[in-house]
Amino acid sequence: MTLHIHLPTSALVVLVLTLLVSTASFGDQLHKERSYWEKLLHFDGTRSRVISEEFFVSINGQQDALGEQKETIRLLKSSQGNDVACNFPARYAWLRKQVSDLPNFDLKKCENLQKFLHSFQKETLNIVFVSELVDAPASAFGHILLVFNNHDIPIPLAEAVHFSAQTEPDGFFRYVYSGVSGKYAGYYIRGPFFRKLNEYTVHEQRAMYIYRLDFSPEEISRIVLHLYELRKARFHYYFIKENCAFQISELLAIGLPDETRTLESASFVLPIDVVKLYADRLTERSSLSPSLLRVDNLLKKLTTDELRTVKDVIAQRSIPSDTMPDHVKEVLALHYQYSFRRHKIIYANYDQVQSLQYSPSSFKPFFIDPLENSESDRVLFGVFRSTTRTGVLFGYRPMLRDIYVPQSAVNQETELALFDVQLLAYSKGFRLEQLDLLKIRSIPNHPLLWQPLSWSFYFGFNRANVRDEMRAELELGLGHNFGNRDVTFDVSVSAGLQESHGVDFYLKPNIILMGYFPASIKLGLQISDKQFHQQHYRQHEIFLSSPLDKGFFNIRYIHAPTGNSKTMASLNLPI
């Protein structure tokens, strides 16, 4: 059996394949079970992930968990005991149950601690998953936060806690490098939930999925006490592993001293993995939609005259009036909110529009639960037929959001793949068909009042060339979607570099036409033409995809020159 790989790229391909094999151990088990004390110190087995000295009471506390414990006990028994107990209440509460002769300090007399606790809502606890934002690398697979709430307080006024990096205004590549290498500092941040609600559903136009956690008051109290200890804690932030999702899962673990739940052994940690990790403790579920989804739904109901009124008010040709229908006033209000918060545009009649009184519409979009449509860990099985070979196709996709998956309930069609590998088994052996190291595409669904650009980025290895050889490729594209939420008609131009016997530059016009027939089945056509200095490579693709209970089914026909046409039918299933 042979493995056919273009020789100049073979070393890198083998290196990446080795990395992919190492990620197959993705799971929830910790390779070495930590004690609860080590959880409180955020130890990874050899040292604490907290890098701020104020978090420890001993000189070597970051490297020596047992030494930190002994020094904490010594200080609690000294004249400084009350101060230590007040500053580290979660550690003291646990040690008090383990060490019989520790003094009994009354934490209710800790003034700063009590101010913190009295200002904190803590009757219920929710995990909130925020949908992906491919325009920002750190949010490309979503975000996760905790929401603490009291029963008698509306959810927008709840307490939000999330973990975030303190970034600098760096360029794109420096930003990515710093995030991957841990150059940024990360902190647990507390604030009112309505700020995050506006940030995500209005400014960034992302959906939010709220999952109520079945945590007891005592379990929630442990987390809140530990948050007090973390108020000055500083961490290294890593986009891939020790990120917002990982640190939120570590915080939740504080509430459960007798359970071992962790994402420690995962090679990649995604926000949805935290929701999966606590799936057995999820009770109520709800969602909050992006404001533009509501606007899009309202625009479809406007008459020609009503749409003209909306455009005239925006263009300052008409004065906003309370006599306008409620759905017209709501469209204007939401449009003005979005324009101000996202683009800092303040229309001259902004105050007039915002003062309009109307009854909000009862729009409730259909959303697929992220737990049922996760982007992580998929395998591909299928059949492959071309003019030169027939075989079985295998693939492994540790991180994936596929352009072929139905996405009609979102504001943009997105594609996001990391280390996506496909291997063909046929009569003469095995052949690597593609290795997408990073593939991103964003196609905004074109609304009537906004016209955002589409864009794409690709870096990997593929056989899209006249010799059907595995070659490295780097490509960046920009375009515009002239379609709408139901039918996409995206026209773009990409510039790229392809490795051959040297490095060849090309331009690639690209057209994507796809829609939903019916809403659950996606049908599409993609036409592209790589134009090199002395040759071109034109490719036409037709595809059809349908969701399954788990995963999706996909059929693709790719017409290419020099006998490279191929047909593939595959099942994409979550692991």
Side-chain angles (χ1 to χ4, degrees), residues 441 473 475 492-496 506-510 526 528-531 537:
R441 185 190 299 272
E473 192 169 305
E475 180 182 294
S492 64
V493 176
S494 301
Y506 66 82
L507 290 175
K508 186 177 79 172
N510 188 68
Q526 184 170 193
S528 63
D529 188 5
K530 286 183 183 176
Q531 299 178 1
Y537 181 82

Side-chain angles (χ1 to χ4, degrees), residues 28-192:
D28 300 331
Q29 290 74 34
L30 182 64
H31 51 77
K32 175 183 177 296
E33 185 173 343
R34 296 176 297 172
S35 68
Y36 188 67
W37 178 256
E38 289 176 317
K39 290 182 184 180
L40 288 168
L41 296 182
H42 293 258
F43 257 66
D44 64 0
T46 58
R47 62 188 295 121
S48 174
R49 292 187 172 89
V50 180
I51 57 177
S52 47
E53 294 180 357
E54 306 94 315
F55 190 71
F56 307 97
V57 298
S58 64
I59 296 176
N60 296 319
Q62 188 184 19
Q63 294 84 26
D64 185 359
L66 182 58
E68 176 75 5
Q69 182 178 2
K70 291 179 179 178
E71 180 64 9
T72 303
I73 293 172
R74 187 190 72 77
L75 289 172
L76 285 169
K77 293 180 178 181
S78 72
S79 59
Q80 303 176 56
N82 189 73
D83 289 340
V84 172
C86 289
N87 277 298
F88 302 100
R91 297 184 213 178
Y92 169 68
W94 183 77
L95 285 172
R96 185 76 178 84
K97 296 179 180 180
Q98 313 302 316
V99 183
S100 60
D101 60 341
L102 274 187
N104 185 15
F105 298 109
D106 186 0
L107 297 183
K108 292 182 179 180
K109 294 181 179 180
C110 303
E111 183 177 353
N112 291 333
L113 172 62
Q114 290 306 311
K115 286 181 180 179
F116 178 86
L117 295 177
H118 288 317
S119 68
F120 213 107
Q121 301 175 42
K122 44 187 178 293
E123 292 180 4
T124 65
L125 178 59
N126 308 270
I127 298 178
V128 177
F129 172 75
V130 185
S131 61
E132 77 285 343
L133 179 66
V134 297
D135 296 338
S139 299
F141 288 96
H143 189 48
I144 199 84
L145 57 148
L146 298 180
V147 172
F148 297 79
N149 190 211
N150 287 346
H151 296 296
D152 59 342
I153 296 180
I155 191 71
L157 300 180
E159 302 270 359
V161 172
H162 67 115
F163 187 84
S164 182
Q166 185 177 28
T167 60
E168 302 292 338
D170 298 327
F172 175 79
F173 291 104
R174 184 176 179 83
Y175 172 74
V176 172
Y177 168 75
S178 297
V180 171
S181 60
K183 298 295 184 183
Y184 292 134
Y187 300 88
Y188 287 96
I189 300 173
R190 172 195 175 193

Side-chain angles (χ1 to χ4, degrees), residues 10 26 141 164 194 213 218 300 335 374 401 414-415 418 421 427 446 453 505 532:
S10 59
F26 184 94
F141 288 96
S164 182
F194 70 81
L213 277 168
E218 184 181 5
K300 293 176 181 178
H335 171 70
S374 171
R401 183 175 179 86
T414 60
E415 184 168 29
L418 187 64
V421 60
S427 59
H446 178 67
L453 295 175
F505 174 80
F532 298 90

Side-chain angles (χ1 to χ4, degrees), residues 245-277:
F246 179 83
Q247 299 294 2
I248 287 296
S249 73
E250 292 288 279
L251 180 58
L252 285 171
I254 297 300
L256 308 172
D258 300 323
E259 294 188 21
T260 300
R261 296 188 190 227
T262 180
L263 298 170
E264 181 74 34
S265 64
S267 300
F268 306 102
V269 178
L270 304 183
I272 193 63
D273 295 330
V274 183
V275 186
K276 290 180 181 178
L277 191 61

Side-chain angles (χ1 to χ4, degrees), residues 497-538:
L497 299 173
Q498 185 180 79
E499 174 249 349
S500 181
H501 297 292
V503 178
D504 297 328
F505 174 80
Y506 66 82
L507 290 175
K508 186 177 79 172
N510 188 68
I511 296 174
I512 299 178
L513 176 64
M514 57 188 176
Y516 298 88
F517 313 97
S520 61
I521 297 178
K522 194 172 191 178
L523 181 64
L525 169 67
Q526 184 170 193
I527 301 172
S528 63
D529 188 5
K530 286 183 183 176
Q531 299 178 1
F532 298 90
H533 177 60
Q534 294 182 331
Q535 64 178 352
H536 69 93
Y537 181 82
R538 182 174 298 163

Side-chain angles (χ1 to χ4, degrees), residues 190-256:
R190 172 195 175 193
F193 181 54
F194 70 81
R195 290 183 181 172
K196 308 309 292 182
L197 187 63
N198 288 330
E199 176 184 348
Y200 294 131
T201 64
V202 179
H203 182 265
E204 296 181 356
Q205 291 300 307
R206 301 162 71 179
M208 304 180 77
Y209 305 87
I210 304 174
Y211 303 88
R212 175 70 58 82
L213 277 168
D214 183 18
F215 270 44
S216 70
E218 184 181 5
E219 290 166 342
I220 296 174
S221 178
R222 291 192 190 103
I223 295 173
V224 175
L225 288 176
H226 187 55
L227 279 170
Y228 183 77
E229 298 177 342
L230 290 166
R231 63 198 185 281
K232 294 182 181 180
R234 181 164 51 95
F235 299 74
H236 289 301
Y237 190 100
Y238 296 89
F239 286 166
I240 293 177
K241 175 68 180 286
E242 294 173 25
N243 50 26
C244 66
F246 179 83
Q247 299 294 2
I248 287 296
S249 73
E250 292 288 279
L251 180 58
L252 285 171
I254 297 300
L256 308 172

Side-chain angles (χ1 to χ4, degrees), residues 335-353:
H335 171 70
Y336 277 44
Q337 289 172 17
Y338 172 75
S339 299
F340 171 67
R341 290 173 180 163
R342 180 64 182 264
H343 302 294
K344 306 303 180 186
I345 297 173
I346 304 177
Y347 292 96
N349 55 3
Y350 178 89
D351 290 337
Q352 291 175 281
V353 169

